[in-house]
Amino acid sequence: MALDTEVPDPPALRGSSDPGDYDAVDEPEERIGDDVRRGELEGFLRAGAWEDAFDDWADRTYLTDAEFRAVREAGLLDELDFYWNQAAEDVGYRVPSIPEEQFDGREEFDADTVETVEEELDDLARTVSEVLENDYIHRGSEEFGYDWE
């Protein structure tokens, strides 16, 4: 199923600087440094990473247009957050948890729908993380503070 919607604005990155609050592809055993590079990541999102990832995700999501509209109205996309994980050299992300009462009174939402929304938001965040890592962060440069040479 594909969503028929415009690409929303990317989230403004702000959140905890504790990587324990985030999911990442590879979880480090220890933390090295506090430079989470939100400013640079936010710049990449605005430069096209968000749109690239969103389009990819929207083509394969299980959310209906009505469910996605409710997600936007609830501000859940704005609560997505990303950070640079120096230890694992990847982009970690945080997806908001959704209280079951968030969609009370909306007949199209039940407990299974809330679980699906959480899974789909996680998939969106993972897609954004992968697009940032694979297409926007140039690991062969000193852009993110390291050099392979």
Side-chain angles (χ1 to χ4, degrees):
M1 173 185 299
L3 285 179
D4 182 25
T5 185
E6 290 182 21
V7 177
D9 290 335
L13 304 185
R14 60 193 178 279
S16 173
S17 60
D18 179 2
D21 293 341
Y22 293 80
D23 293 321
V25 176
D26 296 316
E27 293 295 336
E29 290 184 24
E30 64 183 68
R31 184 171 176 204
I32 58 170
D34 292 323
D35 192 2
V36 295
R37 304 228 179 232
R38 280 197 176 88
E40 291 94 332
L41 293 174
E42 192 168 350
F44 288 145
L45 292 177
R46 294 198 181 285
W50 174 258
E51 184 173 350
D52 293 347
F54 186 87
D55 286 342
D56 178 37
W57 173 81
D59 284 343
R60 59 184 162 75
T61 185
Y62 292 106
L63 293 183
T64 65
D65 290 336
E67 291 165 347
F68 182 71
R69 198 168 30 258
V71 165
R72 285 185 75 175
E73 290 170 3
L76 296 174
L77 294 178
D78 296 329
E79 292 184 40
L80 293 174
D81 194 28
F82 302 90
Y83 84 104
W84 176 247
N85 180 344
Q86 289 180 341
E89 296 182 346
D90 69 1
V91 177
Y93 61 89
R94 187 186 66 77
V95 177
S97 60
I98 303 171
E100 287 193 33
E101 64 273 3
Q102 175 76 45
F103 299 114
D104 279 352
R106 296 186 87 129
E107 62 187 55
E108 70 267 21
F109 282 89
D110 57 20
D112 290 337
T113 305
V114 169
E115 185 176 329
T116 298
V117 167
E118 286 177 338
E119 289 170 0
E120 290 299 311
L121 285 175
D122 187 76
D123 187 43
L124 172 59
R126 182 178 306 275
T127 302
V128 171
S129 175
E130 290 171 356
V131 166
L132 284 166
E133 290 173 16
N134 296 327
D135 300 335
Y136 286 83
I137 297 172
H138 304 291
R139 296 176 188 265
S141 71
E142 294 182 23
E143 183 175 11
F144 266 66
Y146 58 91
D147 190 0
W148 293 112
E149 298 178 358

